[in-house]
Amino acid sequence: MENSDINALESMDYAIRYNNYILKKILKNLNEGNILDFGAGFGTFSKLLILNGREVTALEVDSEAISKLKKENINNISSLDNKSESYENIISLHVLEHIDDDEEILRLLFKKIKPSGKLILYLPASMLAWSYIDVWVNHRRRYMKKDLKLKVENAGFQILNIEYVDFTGWIGVLLMKILKYKPNLDESKIKFYDKFIFNPFKFLDLIFNRIIGKNIFLVAEKKNK
């Protein structure tokens, strides 16, 4: 794993209010039963879900991330080769944008979800906001709702909800792009954003969640045939 990826993963733990905001959205949409955290990283959301009484398996391929998951005693796997195993829920947060063939992964996830199971994705939005940060953390793309919806439906899922999240963050990314500002993701900056920018202005998502935001939150279901 490259240093930029490590910094991005570590910074997630500092955004306490932001993480709790996303966690509430996830918990609201999950089925009962087991959860696969696909591309769990250092286990930020796996840990939060476990603290909320959920059964979680973290899938991760990076050796450093696997080591951290083991230290946290989080059940983890490195592939989906076990054909007999399936899940009531699969979540994948900030993962597909790093993968060249995201549609192949969506088809694989469809096979691993039980009938009526839920897929929850959280991904960066809008190529208009493509900036230095995307290059730094090795993104392949950012998503628009229309394109993501088509990919998820082509994999076999039915969309239940798709919305933009973090309008304030989207404005911030655009400003940094225009000003050619290249921030690092250190602890102090993440905590400042979390407390003084995201938290007081998160209500703006109620106005702009159908228009634009820094990320997309998608909920889909594997319908019974």
Side-chain angles (χ1 to χ4, degrees), residues 69 78 146:
L69 291 169
S78 57
K146 180 180 178 181

Side-chain angles (χ1 to χ4, degrees), residues 68-152:
K68 287 184 177 290
L69 291 169
K70 288 180 177 178
K71 287 180 181 178
E72 296 285 350
N73 294 316
I74 297 172
N75 180 40
N76 63 92
I77 58 175
S78 57
S79 76
L80 292 175
D81 290 341
N82 186 344
K83 295 181 180 180
S84 65
E85 191 165 14
S86 57
Y87 301 89
E88 295 287 353
N89 307 275
I90 296 180
I91 68 168
S92 186
L93 315 177
H94 286 303
V95 177
L96 293 185
E97 69 270 22
H98 295 275
I99 298 172
D100 288 328
D101 194 345
D102 54 350
E103 293 179 89
E104 179 184 6
I105 296 300
L106 287 168
R107 290 191 294 270
L108 175 62
L109 296 182
F110 182 82
K111 294 177 182 178
K112 302 303 293 185
I113 292 184
K114 295 178 181 179
S116 300
K118 293 285 187 65
L119 172 71
I120 295 177
L121 302 176
Y122 193 62
L123 302 164
S126 178
M127 284 301 292
L128 182 63
W130 183 268
S131 69
Y132 154 81
I133 292 178
D134 293 287
V135 177
W136 187 59
V137 297
N138 301 306
H139 286 174
R140 302 291 188 269
R141 68 192 72 80
R142 300 179 72 90
Y143 291 87
M144 295 302 290
K145 283 200 298 186
K146 180 180 178 181
D147 297 328
L148 180 59
K149 182 175 182 290
L150 182 61
K151 289 183 177 184
V152 172

Side-chain angles (χ1 to χ4, degrees), residues 181-194:
Y181 175 59
K182 298 182 177 181
N184 54 30
L185 298 176
D186 64 39
E187 180 178 352
S188 61
K189 288 185 176 67
I190 296 297
K191 286 184 174 180
F192 179 88
Y193 174 79
D194 187 51

Side-chain angles (χ1 to χ4, degrees), residues 164-197:
Y164 290 107
V165 177
D166 193 6
F167 174 76
T168 307
W170 186 74
I171 295 296
V173 169
L174 279 183
L175 286 175
M176 286 188 289
K177 181 178 179 178
I178 292 168
L179 298 173
K180 298 182 179 180
Y181 175 59
K182 298 182 177 181
N184 54 30
L185 298 176
D186 64 39
E187 180 178 352
S188 61
K189 288 185 176 67
I190 296 297
K191 286 184 174 180
F192 179 88
Y193 174 79
D194 187 51
K195 183 176 182 179
F196 296 108
I197 300 177

